[in-house]
């Protein structure tokens, strides 16, 4: 009976998705929206249709196709996902403060481990990048809006149900249903992810894993739709004065990222469908008697390693855009940063098997993957040297965005160097599946990607809120984040050198000290993020009004198109009877 219900649920979900796709395909004009105020400068060809004004209240946010509104929706969604993933990891670190299980079961720990990884990568990392890209790429390239505004909105609204499905196992388990959250870790290795029963009672089917797989599939569809939109927008909607040589570095990184998504995410979607079929219809794609469990690893990591660059390339673009503004000089070696971005995009599809050095694959294949894995460090190093050279002899201004850019460079160097060691086969065979890998990966994901995101949030805060944040709280956020990041993840590197395996809720007493250090660092980071949320919310509501050039970029001739748009917006508000911003009350973070 339970099996019949499981199959019925899967069929209903498939029919629903097919019905949605059919409905969307019947819509004739995907480009029938032009926002009232316009995102750009009117260079792109008008569609001939426009709303006279936006509806008020919640209806505006549910029906908007304005790229700026959708960017804010993505950002809000990303921050909520960041909070969920952060709370999950703080619970895990609290449990790991002691060597034994103290206040949670092993199953709950595994569930938190899984939801933390998937949330941070798929529900925070990709959407928070889409938030910046949706809001600012049309402004940066002089476009009225995204190429396909309605597809843009649909891509976002696929994400809330994706998050609900991914997280659904937790509330259902708390309510007493025979459901457990997925416990496979974010990599979902078979045969663990193919097991259909509850961990407490294998005879009872557990749909929690299926919910998560369906949610991941939805998030992948969303990312793919967004990637198509960004490519079309950058190719076809640029202003007349924005040729390829004039395209900003953030748009270059988003264009490369979107290309990676087009090749990587469909493969993940196919693998997820095969796993769903194995779980519900008796196929043997990843069973020992069929394709074998290693097939999943090949398919997953062919997506998974480009996914790392899908997440890190746009933050590199943010840093390359913001850091020169507070160095008082143009980005050093702009063309080399563009070329290195494209090189990373190409090479990222040739390194996936370095995650599988310990699986017994042919040594000749391992050697080739080791070579490419080391080679991909070269274009990343080019960027680092260019950032440092940009700052060299510059007129540095240590604003919050600049501090986070420098923090990004610092953490990225540590995360990159530790990754080069893992690319060497002999070292990887010793450190594989230890906390060293966790420390390396988190130096990139939290230490670099999230830190660059904070730089973007503070840098463009005046544009999307019209106000300034509190400088002191922003600097507190930076220092707590940097101290917490390095304390936590350096401790993990030492745990890995000591042989501590990852993904365990208990450990030998000899590892207790470094685990406690890592837990202390995690809570320092957590306090920093609370300060961040308070600063953003309070400043958005009550902060001083921002002047037209809050960072004084005009003094160095560094004003870019989005700040010109912001200045025109303020002039329009004054013409319509708005209040002039009081420059004396602004926190310019000088």
């Amino acid at each position: 009976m339970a099996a019949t219900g499981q199959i019925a649920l899967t069929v209903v979900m498939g029919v629903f998705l097919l019905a949605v796709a059919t409905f969307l395909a019947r819509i004739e004009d995907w480009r029938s929206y032009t926002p009232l105020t316009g995102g750009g400068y009117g260079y792109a060809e008008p569609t001939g249709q426009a709303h006279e004004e936006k509806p008020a209240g919640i209806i505006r946010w549910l029906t908007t196709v304005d790229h700026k509104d959708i960017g804010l929706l993505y950002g809000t969604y990303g921050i909520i996902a960041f909070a969920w993933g952060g709370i999950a990891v703080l619970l895990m670190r609290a449990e790991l403060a002691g060597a034994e299980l103290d206040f949670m079961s092993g199953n709950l720990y595994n569930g938190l481990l899984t939801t933390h990884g998937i949330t941070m990568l798929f529900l925070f990392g990709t959407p928070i990048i889409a938030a910046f890209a949706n809001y600012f790429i049309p402004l940066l390239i002089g476009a009225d809006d995204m190429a396909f505004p309605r597809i843009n909105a649909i891509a976002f609204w696929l994400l809330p149900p994706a998050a609900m499905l991914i997280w659904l196992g937790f509330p259902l388990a708390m309510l007493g249903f025979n459901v457990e959250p997925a416990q496979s870790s974010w990599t979902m290795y078979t045969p663990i992810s193919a097991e259909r029963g509850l961990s407490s009672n294998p005879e009872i089917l557990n749909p929690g894993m299926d919910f998560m797989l369906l949610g991941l599939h939805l998030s992948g569809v969303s990312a793919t739709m967004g990637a198509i939109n960004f490519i079309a927008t950058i190719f076809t909607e640029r202003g007349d004065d924005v040729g390829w040589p004039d395209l900003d570095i953030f748009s270059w990184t988003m264009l490369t990222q979107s290309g990676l998504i087009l090749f990587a995410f469909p493969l993940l979607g196919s693998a997820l469908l095969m796993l769903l079929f194995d779980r519900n219809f008796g196929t043997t794609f990843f069973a020992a008697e069929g394709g074998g469990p290693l097939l999943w690893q090949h398919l997953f990591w062919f997506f998974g390693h480009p996914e790392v660059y899908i997440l890190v390339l746009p933050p590199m673009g943010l840093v390359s855009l913001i850091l020169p503004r507070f160095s008082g000089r143009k980005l050093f070696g702009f063309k080399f940063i563009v070329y290195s971005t494209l090189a990373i995009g190409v090479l990222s599809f040739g390194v996936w098997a370095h995650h599988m050095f310990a699986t017994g694959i042919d040594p000749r294949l391992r050697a080739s993957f080791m070579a490419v894995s080391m080679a991909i460090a070269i274009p990343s190093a080019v960027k680092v040297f260019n950032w440092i050279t940009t700052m060299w002899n510059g007129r540095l201004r240590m604003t919050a965005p600049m501090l986070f850019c420098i923090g990004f460079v610092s953490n990225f160097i540590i995360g990159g160097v530790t990754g080069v060691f893992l690319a060497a086969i002999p070292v990887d065979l010793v450190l594989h599946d230890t906390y060293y890998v966790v420390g390396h990966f988190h130096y990139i994901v939290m230490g670099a990607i999230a830190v660059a995101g904070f730089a973007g949030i503070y840098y463009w805060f005046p544009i999307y809120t019209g106000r300034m944040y509190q400088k002191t709280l922003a600097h507190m956020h930076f220092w707590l984040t940097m101290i917490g990041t390095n304390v936590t993840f350096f401790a993990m590197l030492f745990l890995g050198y000591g042989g501590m395996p990852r993904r365990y809720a208990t450990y030998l007493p000899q590892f207790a000290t470094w685990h406690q250090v890592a837990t202390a660092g995690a809570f320092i980071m957590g306090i920093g993020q609370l300060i961040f949320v308070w600063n953003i919310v309070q400043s958005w509501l009550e902060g001083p009004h921002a002047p037209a050039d809050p960072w004084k970029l005009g003094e160095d001739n560094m004003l870019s198109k989005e700040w010109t748009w912001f200045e025109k917006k303020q002039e329009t508000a004054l013409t319509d009877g708005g209040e002039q911003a009081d420059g004396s009350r602004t926190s310019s973070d000088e």
Side-chain angles (χ1 to χ4, degrees):
M1 189 68 181
T4 304
Q6 184 79 351
I7 293 173
L9 175 64
T10 305
V11 171
V12 168
M13 287 297 297
V15 171
F16 171 72
L17 291 175
L18 183 62
V20 171
T22 304
F23 171 75
L24 297 178
R26 292 173 61 87
I27 297 177
E28 296 179 1
D29 187 3
W30 292 96
R31 303 176 61 180
S32 62
Y33 176 82
T34 302
L36 175 66
T37 56
Y41 302 87
Y43 299 131
E45 181 181 351
T47 61
Q49 303 182 42
H51 294 299
E52 293 184 359
E53 63 180 49
K54 295 178 182 178
I58 190 67
I59 299 300
R60 166 190 172 181
W61 298 103
L62 292 175
T63 61
T64 183
V65 291
D66 184 349
H67 70 97
K68 298 185 294 299
D69 289 346
I70 293 172
L72 292 174
L73 288 171
Y74 267 110
T76 303
Y77 175 92
I79 295 298
I80 293 172
F82 186 66
W84 174 282
I87 292 169
V89 80
L90 288 178
L91 291 173
M92 292 162 56
R93 287 307 328 170
E95 174 60 49
L96 290 169
E100 302 297 329
L101 287 174
D102 296 317
F103 66 90
M104 70 172 65
S105 67
N107 289 339
L108 177 58
Y109 180 90
N110 291 336
L112 292 173
L113 173 71
T114 302
T115 195
H116 165 71
I118 287 178
T119 297
M120 289 304 199
L121 294 174
F122 295 96
L123 305 183
F124 163 68
T126 308
I128 203 68
I129 292 168
F132 292 119
N134 270 281
Y135 199 109
F136 291 104
I137 279 186
L139 302 182
L140 288 165
I141 68 174
D144 284 334
D145 205 304
M146 297 291 287
F148 305 110
R150 296 181 187 276
I151 291 180
N152 202 26
I154 294 165
F156 170 76
W157 286 110
L158 287 176
L159 286 177
M164 293 179 197
L165 286 168
I166 290 170
W167 298 338
L168 189 59
F170 288 95
L172 291 182
M174 293 174 62
L175 293 172
F177 290 90
N178 283 326
V179 176
E180 290 177 347
Q183 301 174 37
S184 60
S185 178
W186 76 277
T187 55
M188 298 168 284
Y189 277 3
T190 54
I192 293 175
S193 57
E195 293 177 357
R196 304 174 63 197
L198 297 172
S199 58
S200 57
N201 187 350
E203 299 300 321
I204 300 177
L205 295 180
N206 175 30
M209 185 72 190
D210 298 296
F211 290 147
M212 189 193 75
L213 295 174
L214 289 169
L216 275 176
H217 199 63
L218 278 182
S219 72
V221 172
S222 168
T224 305
M225 294 174 73
I228 294 170
N229 213 349
F230 286 125
I231 292 173
T233 299
I234 295 171
F235 267 88
T236 67
E237 301 295 317
R238 298 193 316 277
D240 293 336
D241 61 340
V242 183
W244 288 111
D246 309 305
L247 191 64
D248 64 279
I249 190 63
F250 181 58
S251 297
W252 273 112
T253 56
M254 281 302 303
L255 185 62
T256 307
Q257 183 227 35
S258 299
L260 295 182
I261 287 175
L262 282 189
F263 285 98
F265 268 89
L267 186 71
L268 174 67
S270 302
L272 292 173
L273 288 178
M274 287 191 279
L275 183 54
L276 279 167
F277 288 162
D278 275 12
R279 289 178 56 83
N280 295 283
F281 298 113
T283 57
T284 58
F285 290 110
F286 306 116
E289 63 273 20
L294 280 184
L295 176 61
W296 171 266
Q297 292 193 36
H298 280 290
L299 294 176
F300 180 83
W301 287 119
F302 190 82
F303 150 81
H305 205 82
E307 165 68 0
V308 174
Y309 296 103
I310 286 169
L311 292 174
V312 81
L313 282 176
M316 287 176 170
L318 284 176
V319 170
S320 300
L321 184 75
I322 297 169
L323 187 142
R325 267 65 180 172
F326 300 102
S327 299
R329 55 188 299 186
K330 292 184 178 180
L331 180 65
F332 179 83
F334 178 90
K335 289 184 178 179
F336 284 97
I337 290 189
V338 172
Y339 296 150
S340 66
T341 298
L342 299 174
I344 288 173
V346 173
L347 292 174
S348 66
F349 284 100
V351 299
W352 82 88
H354 72 218
H355 297 273
M356 303 171 61
F357 283 161
T359 60
I361 60 177
D362 191 316
R364 292 165 295 180
L365 287 176
R366 289 195 310 188
S368 65
F369 280 104
M370 179 178 72
V372 180
S373 298
M374 289 185 170
I376 203 171
I378 296 173
S380 299
V382 167
K383 294 178 184 293
V384 171
F385 284 116
N386 282 26
W387 294 324
I388 294 173
T389 308
T390 301
M391 292 186 285
W392 193 263
N393 288 335
R395 186 172 62 86
L396 304 186
R397 293 182 290 150
M398 293 303 174
T399 61
M402 183 62 166
L403 287 174
F404 276 100
C405 285
I406 295 172
F408 168 93
V409 175
S410 168
N411 289 337
F412 183 73
I413 290 172
I414 299 173
V417 170
T418 52
V420 171
F421 283 102
L422 287 175
I425 295 170
V427 178
D428 183 80
L429 293 177
V430 175
L431 297 175
H432 182 75
D433 259 346
T434 69
Y435 261 83
Y436 183 92
V437 180
V438 182
H440 150 69
F441 186 57
H442 282 76
Y443 258 113
I444 298 297
V445 175
M446 180 64 197
I449 295 170
V451 166
F454 293 137
I457 289 171
Y458 285 121
Y459 176 64
W460 281 318
F461 188 81
I463 289 184
Y464 59 81
T465 67
R467 298 179 181 271
M468 293 301 296
Y469 57 82
Q470 295 186 48
K471 170 184 175 180
T472 302
L473 292 183
H475 284 219
M476 289 175 61
H477 173 217
F478 167 76
W479 287 111
L480 288 172
T481 299
M482 286 299 293
I483 292 170
T485 295
N486 283 278
V487 169
T488 302
F489 305 138
F490 236 101
M492 291 182 178
L493 297 178
F494 285 118
L495 283 169
Y497 280 131
M500 171 71 203
R502 60 178 173 172
R503 299 172 181 162
Y504 278 77
T506 60
Y507 52 86
L508 297 174
Q510 68 200 55
F511 298 115
T513 300
W514 284 118
H515 268 299
Q516 290 161 1
V517 171
T519 296
F523 277 90
I524 291 172
M525 261 192 292
I527 294 170
Q529 308 327 307
L530 289 176
I531 293 173
F532 162 72
V533 172
W534 168 259
N535 191 9
I536 293 299
V537 173
Q538 193 274 338
S539 299
W540 199 320
L541 297 176
E542 301 176 357
H545 292 284
D549 185 9
W551 305 120
K552 298 180 175 59
L553 301 178
E555 296 179 1
D556 296 315
N557 197 27
M558 299 290 284
L559 276 175
S560 46
K561 285 182 176 290
E562 79 275 23
W563 292 107
T564 306
W565 172 85
F566 181 58
E567 183 177 2
K568 291 181 178 179
K569 177 184 175 183
Q570 289 200 332
E571 291 173 356
T572 304
L574 284 173
T575 304
D576 292 341
E579 296 182 2
Q580 185 171 5
D582 182 3
S584 64
R585 294 179 60 241
T586 62
S587 171
S588 61
D589 205 1
E590 290 294 328

